[in-house]
Amino acid sequence: MRIAIIGMGRMGRAFAGRALDKGHAVSVWNRTPGRADELREQGATIMDSPDDVSDECEAVFLFLADDKSTLELAVPDGQPRKQWSPTRVVNTGTVAPEVITALSQAYGDSFVNAQIVGAPQAVRSGEARFILGGPAAGRAALAPVWRVFAGAFDAGDRPETAAVIKLLNNQMLLTQLAAVAETVRAGRAAGIDDATLTTMLRESPMLAPGLRNRIDVMFDPEHAGWFTSIQSAKDLTLALGLVPDGVALPVTEAARDAYRRFIGDGWLTQDPAALVEYGRRAH
């Protein structure tokens, strides 16, 4: 397929690299120049503007960070981009369901919501899965893209359903990660060394695969990762916004507040597994 990718963060670059490996024709654009230089060497076309999609483009994939950037890029001044109207428009970012509704209203049956379950490494290797929501014809038309990954969960015709399911997945991951970080802190306070704690977590039947992926990052002093505390607080805030006033989610609220406190202590770019350092200021 001929596809365009808007947004060259870690996920966007990983997706573009995988698509190029599998023979798709890829054009890319990023607000900050230079992020896609290695993709140019791999065969990607660098667009000067998000409006530079070719007439032959079959889908525009959005890899944008949050609600604001998604709306600004995809529906500037509240209007769809005319250059995108002949093609499919596919959102992959974790945003509020209301943002998905706005995109669906702007692009109609051409819009598909494709939420990613997996880290950039899983996207690059083809092991990531997608949660798909939108018109059946749109989901089916993009099958050549889904086939180069680990498959898709079909959330049905409503694009918003895929957004909710992704937020629920992130809610589970981030609240549990906050609890595991406290387990490590409790173990350290009780005199257990990190090697023993690492072994315990690796062998514990209580730990889900998504949490096992964070063990090394948790004990790495740099806590280098691809997801941040800022994104964690954002996603938990969106998850809390799914329920009406009066429906209490105290565990999710506590986890959200912990990430916010952590951000205030200067932990901005580290992986959320760095929550093991809660109560300490970042260097």
Coordinates of all heavy atoms in Angstrom, one line a residue, residues 20-98:
L20 N 8.1 -0.2 5.7 CA 9.1 -0.2 4.7 C 9.7 -1.6 4.5 O 9.9 -2.0 3.3 CB 10.1 0.8 5.0 CG 9.7 2.3 4.8 CD1 10.7 3.2 5.5 CD2 9.6 2.7 3.3
D21 N 10.0 -2.2 5.6 CA 10.6 -3.6 5.5 C 9.7 -4.5 4.7 O 10.2 -5.4 4.1 CB 10.8 -4.1 6.9 CG 12.0 -3.6 7.6 OD1 12.8 -2.9 7.0 OD2 12.1 -3.8 8.8
K22 N 8.4 -4.3 4.9 CA 7.4 -5.3 4.3 C 6.9 -4.8 2.9 O 5.9 -5.3 2.4 CB 6.2 -5.5 5.3 CG 6.6 -6.2 6.5 CD 7.3 -7.5 6.2 CE 7.7 -8.2 7.5 NZ 8.3 -9.6 7.2
G23 N 7.6 -3.8 2.3 CA 7.3 -3.5 1.0 C 6.3 -2.4 0.7 O 5.9 -2.1 -0.4
H24 N 5.8 -1.7 1.8 CA 4.8 -0.6 1.6 C 5.6 0.6 1.2 O 6.7 0.9 1.6 CB 4.0 -0.4 2.9 CG 3.1 -1.5 3.2 ND1 2.0 -1.8 2.5 CD2 3.2 -2.4 4.3 CE1 1.4 -2.9 3.1 NE2 2.1 -3.3 4.1
A25 N 4.9 1.5 0.4 CA 5.5 2.8 0.0 C 5.1 3.8 1.1 O 3.9 4.0 1.3 CB 5.0 3.2 -1.4
V26 N 6.1 4.4 1.7 CA 5.8 5.2 2.9 C 6.3 6.7 2.7 O 7.5 6.9 2.3 CB 6.5 4.6 4.1 CG1 6.3 5.5 5.3 CG2 6.0 3.2 4.4
S27 N 5.4 7.6 3.0 CA 5.8 9.0 3.1 C 5.6 9.5 4.5 O 4.7 9.0 5.2 CB 4.9 9.9 2.1 OG 5.1 9.5 0.8
V28 N 6.5 10.3 5.0 CA 6.4 10.7 6.4 C 6.5 12.2 6.6 O 7.1 12.9 5.7 CB 7.5 10.0 7.2 CG1 7.4 8.5 7.1 CG2 8.9 10.5 6.8
W29 N 6.0 12.7 7.7 CA 6.1 14.1 8.0 C 6.1 14.3 9.5 O 5.5 13.5 10.3 CB 4.9 15.0 7.5 CG 5.0 16.4 7.9 CD1 5.6 17.4 7.2 CD2 4.4 17.0 9.0 NE1 5.5 18.6 7.9 CE2 4.8 18.4 9.0 CE3 3.6 16.6 10.1 CZ2 4.4 19.3 10.0 CZ3 3.2 17.5 11.1 CH2 3.6 18.8 11.0
N30 N 7.0 15.2 10.0 CA 7.1 15.5 11.4 C 7.2 17.0 11.6 O 7.8 17.7 10.8 CB 8.3 14.8 12.0 CG 8.2 14.9 13.5 OD1 7.3 14.3 14.2 ND2 9.1 15.6 14.2
R31 N 6.6 17.5 12.6 CA 6.7 19.0 12.9 C 8.1 19.4 13.1 O 8.5 20.5 12.6 CB 5.8 19.3 14.2 CG 5.6 20.8 14.3 CD 5.0 21.1 15.7 NE 3.8 20.3 15.9 CZ 2.5 20.8 15.7 NH1 2.4 21.9 15.1 NH2 1.5 20.0 15.9
T32 N 8.9 18.7 13.8 CA 10.3 19.0 14.0 C 11.1 18.2 12.9 O 11.1 17.0 12.9 CB 10.8 18.6 15.4 OG1 10.0 19.2 16.3 CG2 12.3 18.9 15.6
P33 N 11.8 18.9 12.0 CA 12.6 18.3 11.0 C 13.7 17.4 11.5 O 14.2 17.6 12.6 CB 13.2 19.4 10.2 CG 12.4 20.6 10.5 CD 11.9 20.4 12.0
G34 N 14.1 16.4 10.7 CA 15.3 15.6 11.1 C 15.0 14.3 11.7 O 15.9 13.4 11.7
R35 N 13.8 14.1 12.2 CA 13.6 12.8 12.9 C 13.5 11.6 12.0 O 13.5 10.5 12.5 CB 12.3 12.9 13.8 CG 12.5 13.7 15.1 CD 11.4 13.4 16.0 NE 11.6 14.0 17.3 CZ 10.8 13.8 18.4 NH1 9.7 13.1 18.2 NH2 11.1 14.3 19.5
A36 N 13.2 11.9 10.7 CA 13.0 10.7 9.8 C 14.2 10.5 8.9 O 14.0 9.8 7.9 CB 11.7 11.0 9.0
D37 N 15.3 11.1 9.2 CA 16.5 10.9 8.3 C 16.8 9.5 8.0 O 17.1 9.1 6.8 CB 17.7 11.7 8.8 CG 17.5 13.2 8.8 OD1 16.6 13.7 8.1 OD2 18.3 13.9 9.4
E38 N 16.8 8.6 9.0 CA 17.2 7.2 8.8 C 16.1 6.5 7.9 O 16.5 5.6 7.2 CB 17.4 6.5 10.1 CG 16.1 6.1 10.9 CD 15.5 7.3 11.7 OE1 16.0 8.4 11.6 OE2 14.6 7.0 12.5
L39 N 14.9 7.0 8.0 CA 13.8 6.4 7.2 C 14.0 6.8 5.7 O 13.7 6.0 4.8 CB 12.5 6.8 7.7 CG 12.1 6.3 9.1 CD1 10.8 7.0 9.5 CD2 11.9 4.8 9.1
R40 N 14.5 8.0 5.5 CA 14.8 8.4 4.1 C 15.8 7.4 3.4 O 15.7 7.0 2.3 CB 15.4 9.8 4.1 CG 15.6 10.4 2.6 CD 16.6 11.5 2.6 NE 16.2 12.6 3.6 CZ 15.5 13.6 3.3 NH1 14.9 13.8 2.1 NH2 15.3 14.5 4.2
E41 N 16.8 7.0 4.2 CA 17.8 6.1 3.7 C 17.2 4.7 3.5 O 17.7 3.9 2.6 CB 19.0 5.9 4.7 CG 19.7 7.2 4.9 CD 20.8 7.1 6.0 OE1 21.0 6.0 6.5 OE2 21.4 8.1 6.4
Q42 N 16.1 4.4 4.2 CA 15.4 3.1 4.0 C 14.4 3.1 2.9 O 13.9 2.1 2.5 CB 14.7 2.8 5.3 CG 14.4 1.3 5.5 CD 13.8 1.0 6.9 OE1 14.0 1.7 7.8 NE2 13.0 0.0 6.9
G43 N 14.2 4.3 2.3 CA 13.3 4.4 1.2 C 12.1 5.3 1.4 O 11.3 5.4 0.4
A44 N 11.9 5.9 2.5 CA 10.7 6.7 2.8 C 10.9 8.1 2.1 O 12.0 8.6 1.9 CB 10.5 7.0 4.3
T45 N 9.7 8.7 1.7 CA 9.7 10.0 1.1 C 9.4 11.0 2.3 O 8.4 10.8 3.0 CB 8.6 10.1 0.1 OG1 8.9 9.2 -1.0 CG2 8.5 11.5 -0.5
I46 N 10.2 12.0 2.4 CA 9.9 13.0 3.5 C 9.1 14.1 2.9 O 9.4 14.8 1.9 CB 11.3 13.6 4.0 CG1 12.3 12.5 4.3 CG2 11.0 14.5 5.2 CD1 11.8 11.6 5.4
M47 N 7.9 14.4 3.5 CA 7.0 15.4 3.1 C 7.3 16.7 3.7 O 7.7 16.8 4.9 CB 5.5 15.0 3.4 CG 5.1 13.8 2.7 SD 3.3 13.4 3.0 CE 3.2 13.2 4.8
D48 N 7.2 17.8 3.0 CA 7.4 19.1 3.5 C 6.3 19.7 4.4 O 6.4 20.6 5.2 CB 7.7 20.1 2.4 CG 9.0 19.9 1.6 OD1 9.9 19.4 2.3 OD2 9.0 20.1 0.4
S49 N 5.1 19.1 4.1 CA 3.9 19.5 4.8 C 2.9 18.3 5.0 O 3.0 17.4 4.2 CB 3.2 20.6 4.0 OG 1.8 20.8 4.3
P50 N 2.1 18.3 6.0 CA 1.1 17.3 6.1 C 0.1 17.2 5.0 O -0.6 16.3 4.8 CB 0.4 17.5 7.5 CG 0.7 19.0 7.8 CD 2.0 19.3 7.2
D51 N 0.1 18.3 4.2 CA -0.8 18.4 3.0 C -0.2 17.8 1.8 O -0.8 17.7 0.7 CB -1.2 19.8 2.8 CG -2.2 20.4 3.8 OD1 -3.0 19.6 4.4 OD2 -2.0 21.6 4.1
D52 N 1.1 17.3 1.9 CA 1.8 16.8 0.7 C 1.5 15.4 0.4 O 2.3 14.8 -0.3 CB 3.3 17.1 0.9 CG 3.7 18.5 0.7 OD1 2.8 19.3 0.2 OD2 4.8 18.9 1.1
V53 N 0.4 14.8 0.9 CA 0.1 13.4 0.5 C -0.2 13.3 -1.0 O -0.8 14.2 -1.5 CB -1.1 12.9 1.4 CG1 -0.7 12.9 2.8 CG2 -2.3 13.7 1.1
S54 N 0.3 12.3 -1.6 CA 0.1 12.1 -3.0 C -1.3 11.7 -3.3 O -2.1 11.1 -2.5 CB 1.1 11.1 -3.6 OG 0.7 9.8 -3.1
D55 N -1.7 11.8 -4.6 CA -3.1 11.4 -5.0 C -3.2 9.9 -4.9 O -4.3 9.4 -4.8 CB -3.3 11.9 -6.5 CG -3.4 13.4 -6.6 OD1 -3.7 14.0 -5.6 OD2 -3.2 13.9 -7.7
E56 N -2.1 9.2 -5.0 CA -2.1 7.7 -4.9 C -2.1 7.2 -3.5 O -2.3 6.0 -3.3 CB -0.9 7.1 -5.6 CG -0.9 7.4 -7.1 CD -0.4 8.8 -7.5 OE1 0.3 9.3 -6.6 OE2 -0.8 9.3 -8.6
C57 N -2.0 8.1 -2.5 CA -2.0 7.6 -1.1 C -3.3 7.0 -0.7 O -4.4 7.5 -0.9 CB -1.7 8.8 -0.2 SG -1.6 8.4 1.6
E58 N -3.1 5.8 -0.1 CA -4.3 5.0 0.3 C -4.7 5.2 1.8 O -5.8 4.8 2.2 CB -4.0 3.5 0.0 CG -3.8 3.2 -1.5 CD -3.3 1.9 -1.7 OE1 -4.1 0.9 -1.7 OE2 -2.1 1.7 -1.9
A59 N -3.8 5.7 2.6 CA -4.1 5.9 4.0 C -3.2 6.9 4.6 O -2.0 6.8 4.4 CB -4.1 4.6 4.8
V60 N -3.7 7.8 5.5 CA -2.8 8.7 6.3 C -2.9 8.2 7.7 O -4.0 8.2 8.3 CB -3.3 10.1 6.2 CG1 -2.5 11.0 7.1 CG2 -3.2 10.6 4.8
F61 N -1.8 7.8 8.3 CA -1.8 7.3 9.7 C -1.3 8.5 10.6 O -0.2 9.1 10.4 CB -0.8 6.1 9.8 CG -1.4 4.9 9.3 CD1 -1.3 4.6 7.9 CD2 -1.9 3.9 10.1 CE1 -1.9 3.4 7.4 CE2 -2.5 2.7 9.6 CZ -2.4 2.5 8.3
L62 N -2.0 8.7 11.7 CA -1.7 9.8 12.7 C -1.0 9.1 13.9 O -1.6 8.3 14.6 CB -2.9 10.5 13.1 CG -3.8 11.0 12.0 CD1 -5.1 11.7 12.6 CD2 -3.1 12.0 11.1
F63 N 0.3 9.6 14.1 CA 1.0 9.1 15.3 C 1.3 10.4 16.1 O 2.5 10.9 16.1 CB 2.3 8.4 14.9 CG 2.1 7.0 14.5 CD1 1.7 6.7 13.2 CD2 2.2 5.9 15.4 CE1 1.4 5.4 12.8 CE2 2.0 4.6 15.0 CZ 1.6 4.3 13.7
L64 N 0.3 10.9 16.8 CA 0.5 12.2 17.5 C 0.3 12.0 19.0 O -0.3 11.0 19.5 CB -0.6 13.2 16.9 CG -0.4 13.4 15.4 CD1 -1.6 14.1 14.8 CD2 0.9 14.1 15.1
A65 N 0.8 12.9 19.8 CA 1.1 12.7 21.2 C -0.2 12.8 22.1 O -0.3 12.1 23.1 CB 2.1 13.7 21.7
D66 N -1.1 13.7 21.7 CA -2.2 14.0 22.7 C -3.4 14.6 21.9 O -3.4 14.7 20.7 CB -1.7 14.9 23.8 CG -1.0 16.2 23.2 OD1 -1.4 16.6 22.1 OD2 -0.1 16.7 23.9
D67 N -4.4 14.9 22.7 CA -5.6 15.5 22.1 C -5.3 16.8 21.3 O -5.8 16.9 20.2 CB -6.6 15.8 23.2 CG -7.2 14.6 24.0 OD1 -6.7 13.5 23.7 OD2 -8.0 14.8 24.8
K68 N -4.6 17.7 21.9 CA -4.3 19.0 21.3 C -3.6 18.8 19.9 O -4.1 19.4 18.9 CB -3.5 19.9 22.2 CG -3.3 21.3 21.7 CD -2.6 22.1 22.8 CE -2.4 23.5 22.4 NZ -1.4 23.7 21.3
S69 N -2.5 18.1 19.9 CA -1.8 18.0 18.7 C -2.6 17.2 17.6 O -2.5 17.5 16.4 CB -0.4 17.3 18.9 OG -0.6 16.0 19.5
T70 N -3.4 16.2 18.0 CA -4.2 15.5 17.1 C -5.2 16.4 16.4 O -5.4 16.4 15.2 CB -4.9 14.3 17.8 OG1 -3.9 13.4 18.3 CG2 -5.7 13.5 16.8
L71 N -5.9 17.2 17.2 CA -6.9 18.1 16.6 C -6.3 19.1 15.8 O -6.8 19.5 14.7 CB -7.8 18.7 17.8 CG -8.7 17.7 18.5 CD1 -9.3 18.4 19.7 CD2 -9.8 17.1 17.6
E72 N -5.2 19.7 16.2 CA -4.6 20.8 15.5 C -4.1 20.3 14.1 O -4.2 21.0 13.1 CB -3.4 21.3 16.2 CG -3.7 22.2 17.4 CD -2.5 22.7 18.2 OE1 -1.4 22.2 17.9 OE2 -2.7 23.6 19.0
L73 N -3.6 19.1 14.0 CA -3.0 18.5 12.8 C -4.1 18.0 11.9 O -4.1 18.2 10.7 CB -2.0 17.4 13.1 CG -0.5 17.8 13.0 CD1 -0.1 18.3 11.6 CD2 -0.2 18.9 14.0
A74 N -5.1 17.2 12.5 CA -6.1 16.5 11.6 C -7.3 17.4 11.3 O -7.8 17.2 10.2 CB -6.5 15.3 12.4
V75 N -7.7 18.3 12.1 CA -8.8 19.1 11.8 C -8.5 20.6 12.2 O -9.1 21.2 13.1 CB -10.1 18.7 12.6 CG1 -10.7 17.4 11.9 CG2 -9.8 18.3 14.1
P76 N -7.6 21.2 11.4 CA -7.2 22.6 11.7 C -8.4 23.5 11.5 O -9.2 23.4 10.6 CB -6.1 22.9 10.7 CG -6.4 21.9 9.6 CD -6.9 20.6 10.3
D77 N -8.6 24.4 12.5 CA -9.8 25.3 12.5 C -11.1 24.5 12.5 O -12.1 25.0 12.0 CB -9.7 26.2 11.4 CG -8.5 27.1 11.4 OD1 -8.1 27.6 12.5 OD2 -7.9 27.3 10.3
G78 N -11.1 23.2 13.0 CA -12.3 22.4 13.0 C -12.7 21.8 11.7 O -13.7 21.2 11.7
Q79 N -11.8 21.9 10.7 CA -12.2 21.4 9.4 C -11.3 20.3 9.0 O -10.1 20.3 9.3 CB -12.1 22.5 8.4 CG -13.1 23.7 8.6 CD -14.5 23.3 8.7 OE1 -15.0 22.5 7.8 NE2 -15.3 23.7 9.7
P80 N -11.8 19.3 8.2 CA -10.9 18.3 7.7 C -9.9 18.8 6.7 O -10.2 19.8 6.0 CB -11.8 17.2 7.1 CG -13.0 18.1 6.7 CD -13.2 19.1 7.8
R81 N -8.8 18.2 6.5 CA -7.8 18.6 5.5 C -8.3 18.1 4.1 O -8.6 16.9 3.9 CB -6.4 18.0 5.8 CG -5.8 18.7 7.0 CD -4.3 18.2 7.1 NE -3.7 18.8 8.2 CZ -3.0 20.0 8.2 NH1 -2.9 20.6 7.0 NH2 -2.4 20.5 9.2
K82 N -8.5 19.0 3.2 CA -9.0 18.7 1.9 C -8.1 17.6 1.2 O -8.6 16.8 0.5 CB -9.1 19.9 1.0 CG -10.2 20.9 1.5 CD -10.3 22.1 0.6 CE -11.4 23.1 1.0 NZ -11.4 24.3 0.2
Q83 N -6.8 17.8 1.4 CA -5.8 16.9 0.8 C -6.0 15.4 1.3 O -5.5 14.5 0.6 CB -4.4 17.4 0.9 CG -4.1 18.7 0.2 CD -4.6 19.9 1.0 OE1 -5.2 19.8 2.0 NE2 -4.3 21.1 0.4
W84 N -6.6 15.3 2.4 CA -6.7 13.9 3.0 C -8.1 13.3 2.6 O -8.3 12.1 2.9 CB -6.6 14.0 4.5 CG -5.3 14.4 5.0 CD1 -4.2 14.7 4.3 CD2 -4.9 14.4 6.4 NE1 -3.1 15.1 5.1 CE2 -3.5 14.9 6.4 CE3 -5.5 14.1 7.6 CZ2 -2.8 15.0 7.6 CZ3 -4.8 14.3 8.8 CH2 -3.5 14.7 8.8
S85 N -9.0 14.1 2.1 CA -10.4 13.6 1.9 C -10.5 12.4 1.0 O -11.4 11.6 1.1 CB -11.3 14.8 1.4 OG -10.8 15.3 0.2
P86 N -9.6 12.3 -0.1 CA -9.8 11.1 -0.9 C -9.3 9.8 -0.3 O -9.4 8.7 -1.0 CB -8.9 11.5 -2.2 CG -8.6 12.9 -2.0 CD -8.6 13.2 -0.6
T87 N -8.6 9.8 0.8 CA -8.0 8.6 1.4 C -8.5 8.3 2.7 O -9.4 8.9 3.3 CB -6.5 8.9 1.4 OG1 -5.8 7.7 1.8 CG2 -6.1 9.9 2.5
R88 N -8.1 7.2 3.3 CA -8.4 6.8 4.7 C -7.6 7.6 5.6 O -6.4 7.9 5.4 CB -8.1 5.3 4.9 CG -8.7 4.3 3.9 CD -10.2 4.1 4.1 NE -10.7 3.2 3.1 CZ -12.0 2.9 3.0 NH1 -12.9 3.4 3.8 NH2 -12.4 2.1 2.0
V89 N -8.2 7.9 6.7 CA -7.5 8.6 7.8 C -7.5 7.7 9.0 O -8.6 7.3 9.5 CB -8.1 10.0 8.1 CG1 -7.4 10.7 9.3 CG2 -8.0 10.9 6.9
V90 N -6.4 7.4 9.6 CA -6.3 6.4 10.6 C -5.6 7.0 11.8 O -4.4 7.4 11.8 CB -5.5 5.1 10.1 CG1 -5.5 4.0 11.2 CG2 -6.0 4.6 8.8
N91 N -6.3 7.0 13.0 CA -5.7 7.5 14.2 C -5.1 6.3 15.0 O -5.7 5.3 15.1 CB -6.7 8.2 15.1 CG -6.1 8.6 16.5 OD1 -5.3 9.5 16.6 ND2 -6.5 7.8 17.5
T92 N -3.9 6.5 15.5 CA -3.3 5.5 16.4 C -3.0 6.0 17.8 O -2.7 5.2 18.7 CB -1.9 5.0 15.8 OG1 -0.9 6.0 15.9 CG2 -2.1 4.6 14.3
G93 N -3.0 7.3 18.0 CA -2.7 7.9 19.3 C -3.7 7.6 20.4 O -4.9 7.5 20.1
T94 N -3.3 7.6 21.6 CA -4.2 7.4 22.8 C -4.7 8.8 23.1 O -4.1 9.6 23.7 CB -3.4 6.8 24.0 OG1 -2.8 5.6 23.6 CG2 -4.4 6.5 25.1
V95 N -6.0 9.0 22.7 CA -6.7 10.3 22.9 C -8.0 10.1 23.5 O -8.5 8.9 23.6 CB -6.8 11.1 21.6 CG1 -5.4 11.5 21.1 CG2 -7.5 10.3 20.6
A96 N -8.7 11.1 23.9 CA -10.0 11.0 24.5 C -11.0 10.6 23.5 O -10.9 10.9 22.3 CB -10.4 12.4 25.1
P97 N -12.1 9.8 23.9 CA -13.1 9.4 22.9 C -13.7 10.6 22.2 O -14.1 10.4 21.0 CB -14.1 8.7 23.8 CG -13.3 8.1 24.9 CD -12.2 9.2 25.2
E98 N -13.8 11.8 22.9 CA -14.4 12.9 22.2 C -13.6 13.4 21.0 O -14.1 13.9 20.0 CB -14.6 14.1 23.2 CG -15.3 13.8 24.5 CD -14.3 13.2 25.5 OE1 -13.6 14.0 26.2 OE2 -14.3 12.0 25.7

